[in-house]
Amino acid sequence: MHGNAASSLAPPPPFPKRRNAVLRLYDAPLYRDGAFWNTVVWALISGISIPTASTTEPSKLPPWLDNLLAIIAMVIIFGVVPAWIRLLIRRWRWRRRPQPPRQEVPPVPLHAAPVGPALRVSATHRADPATPVSEVPADARNTFPHPIARALRALQQAPTDKDRYEALLDAAEILAITLSVTTAALLQEAGQRDLSLLRRAYFGKGAMFGTWTTWLRELQPLAATRPDLVAGLHQALGDGPDAPGIVTHLNALREERNRAAHGDKPKSQPESALRVAEGTHHLERALAKAQFLKATPWLFTVSCVYRPRSRDFEVVAKDATGDHPDFERRTFTWEHPVGIDMFYVHGPEGPVPLSPFVADLFCPQCRQMEVSYAYKAHKVNRTATFKSFGRGHDIAAPDLVDDLLSLPDQRG
C-alpha cells in the first residue's frame, strides 16, 4: 500500500525529529534544532556588525568581498564548527551504544489445513483461546479474506528486516481497510446509515489509514448496542486497560507508518529488526481481535442462472479466501440473484455486495485484474479512484461514482 498514512479528519501529528538529516549537520525539522538557530544568529550578527565596523588597516580586496569573507568565516567558526563537533560526538556515542540483537521472524509453514467447502460459518465463531497469538498470522493466511492473507504472505516472504518492516506496515493498513469495508458492506445491507464519515473521506482528501481507524472507533457505541449487526465486532472494538481493542493496535501501527512517511525510517538492519518486533506485537493482537472475519468470507461471482422449476438461482462464485491467487470455485443455491464479476461478503444471512467499497478492476500498470478498494472521488469531474490492495496503484473507476454518491451523508 502506498496511500497517505495520516487521516484527513484529524490534525496532522508533529514531524518527528531526525538527527543530522540536513547537510549531515542539522536536525530536521530545522525549526526544532538549536544548532541551526545558533548558526542563523551568528550569520545575522556578522551580517550587521562586520560591514559597519571600522578597519585601521587597508585591504587589497574590495570592501564587499572583504566583508563577505569575514561573515562566512564567523559563521563557520561559531555556527558550523559547533554543529560539526556535535556530529562527531553523536557518532562516537553511537559507536559505543550496544546494538540490539538481530531478531529473525520464524518461518511460517506453507502447508495448512484446506478451507472447507462450506463457507457458511456460524456467526458466533471465535478464535480458540488456547491458540497462541504468535500462530494467528499463519492461520489468517488460510482463513481471512484474500487481501489480508496475501499481505501476510508477503510479510512472511520478505527477505530482509527492512523489507519486513515495509511489509508489516502494508499488512496493518490492509487489515484496517479489509475490516472496514467488510463492516461497511454489512451495515449498508442492514440499512444502517453510519457511513457518512467514509463518504466525506471519499469526496474529500481520500480514505487513508487514519480514516479507517477513526471510523471503526466511532462504531463502538453502535456495536455495543447492536451486537447482532456484525457478529464479533463488539468484542473486537472493546477497549480495556488489560486488553486493548483492535483500533488501539491499528493506531499504534498507523503512527509507525506516519513516522516512516515523515522520514524516520529504520537506518540499519538491527534497527529494522527492533521496530519489526515492536510492530509484530500489535499486528498479531489485531489479527487475533479480527477473528470474526472468518465468519464473513469474500466471494467473487462468476455466473448466476435462474432455475424455473425450483424458482431459485444457481450461483458459481470464487472463494476469495486465503493467500493463493487462484480462487477455488464454489456452487451455491440462493433465492435471489446476484451481480456478475462482483465481490460479495458471505454473511450469516446470505451474500452481501461489497460494492462500492471493493471492485475487481483492470490495472493499467500491472496489466491485469486487481482486487481494489475505493480511495477517492470527485462530484464535479465525475471520477472515482480505486487503489489495488496488492501494490497500491491508482485505478480509475468512473462507473462507480454514482454508487459512492449514494452513500448516506449525515452531518452533525
Side-chain angles (χ1 to χ4, degrees):
M1 307 291 295
H2 303 283
N4 295 326
S7 170
S8 61
L9 303 172
F15 290 108
K17 192 171 184 179
R18 294 175 287 126
R19 292 188 171 188
N20 305 111
V22 180
L23 302 177
R24 295 292 182 91
L25 295 177
Y26 303 106
D27 298 342
L30 289 174
Y31 63 84
R32 295 174 57 187
D33 186 17
F36 169 74
W37 287 113
N38 176 68
T39 305
V40 171
V41 168
W42 276 106
L44 293 175
I45 293 175
S46 303
I48 295 174
S49 61
I50 291 178
T52 59
S54 59
T55 58
T56 58
E57 298 181 2
S59 174
K60 297 180 180 180
L61 299 176
W64 66 269
L65 182 57
D66 193 28
N67 292 335
L68 177 61
L69 293 176
I71 292 172
I72 293 175
M74 291 285 289
V75 171
I76 292 176
I77 294 173
F78 296 103
V80 177
V81 170
W84 176 69
I85 294 174
R86 182 183 66 173
L87 173 62
L88 295 180
I89 295 174
R90 284 178 172 178
R91 287 177 175 175
W92 175 76
R93 294 178 61 183
W94 178 260
R95 287 194 295 267
R96 291 175 59 88
R97 175 187 178 186
Q99 295 294 326
R102 181 182 178 90
Q103 301 188 24
E104 297 290 345
V105 175
V108 178
L110 294 181
H111 65 278
V115 180
L119 288 176
R120 196 176 179 97
V121 187
S122 170
T124 59
H125 178 86
R126 298 290 182 270
D128 185 359
T131 302
V133 175
S134 59
E135 296 181 8
V136 171
D139 176 67
R141 283 185 54 184
N142 297 281
T143 57
F144 273 41
H146 178 68
I148 301 175
R150 182 166 67 172
L152 294 175
R153 182 173 184 266
L155 172 60
Q156 187 268 326
Q157 293 184 338
T160 66
D161 287 317
K162 285 190 175 182
D163 294 327
R164 194 172 295 119
Y165 176 78
E166 296 291 342
L168 173 73
L169 299 181
D170 287 347
E173 186 171 2
I174 289 174
L175 172 59
I177 297 170
T178 305
L179 174 62
S180 297
V181 297
T182 302
T183 302
L186 293 172
L187 292 180
Q188 183 176 233
E189 182 71 8
Q192 297 296 312
R193 302 183 61 82
D194 298 75
L195 304 173
S196 56
L197 188 150
L198 297 183
R199 187 185 189 277
R200 291 197 298 272
Y202 289 143
F203 290 95
K205 295 183 179 180
M208 307 174 192
F209 201 159
T211 305
W212 309 112
T213 56
T214 301
W215 182 67
L216 288 172
R217 188 174 292 281
E218 288 194 356
L219 289 181
Q220 284 183 335
L222 177 64
T225 56
R226 293 288 308 276
D228 58 306
L229 290 176
V230 182
L233 181 63
H234 173 51
Q235 290 81 359
L237 297 179
D239 214 351
D242 299 326
I246 190 171
V247 175
T248 299
H249 294 296
L250 290 175
N251 272 332
L253 293 163
R254 179 180 62 85
E255 291 171 1
E256 181 65 28
R257 165 145 294 205
N258 285 341
R259 179 183 176 187
H262 293 147
D264 191 12
K265 291 185 178 182
K267 301 300 188 298
S268 63
Q269 291 293 345
E271 184 184 0
S272 298
L274 183 61
R275 288 165 71 168
V276 166
E278 295 170 350
T280 300
H281 165 85
H282 292 290
L283 180 62
E284 289 179 347
R285 280 150 184 80
L287 290 169
K289 287 284 187 177
Q291 290 293 298
F292 71 94
L293 288 175
K294 295 180 181 180
T296 54
W298 287 16
L299 301 174
F300 183 72
T301 54
V302 176
S303 65
C304 179
V305 179
Y306 178 65
R307 303 192 304 183
R309 289 189 177 182
S310 55
R311 295 184 178 180
D312 55 23
F313 296 84
E314 181 182 88
V315 177
V316 177
K318 294 181 179 180
D319 176 11
T321 301
D323 62 5
H324 200 282
D326 296 328
F327 303 148
E328 294 186 13
R329 294 195 174 203
R330 312 288 189 194
T331 302
F332 303 90
T333 300
W334 288 329
E335 296 179 357
H336 303 286
V338 294
I340 305 301
D341 296 333
M342 292 178 58
F343 281 99
Y344 281 79
V345 176
H346 194 191
E349 303 301 325
V352 175
L354 273 164
S355 180
F357 309 106
V358 179
D360 190 50
L361 300 174
F362 180 77
C363 177
Q365 299 182 57
C366 300
R367 297 189 178 276
Q368 63 182 12
M369 304 300 291
E370 287 286 336
V371 186
S372 309
Y373 66 94
Y375 167 64
K376 196 174 184 179
H378 295 279
K379 299 178 184 178
V380 179
N381 298 335
R382 308 293 297 175
T383 59
T385 301
F386 278 58
K387 283 185 176 290
S388 64
F389 278 102
R391 297 186 179 180
H393 292 160
D394 289 350
I395 304 175
D399 295 340
L400 293 171
V401 175
D402 290 336
D403 294 332
L404 293 172
L405 280 170
S406 68
L407 295 176
D409 185 16
Q410 293 178 325
R411 302 278 180 175

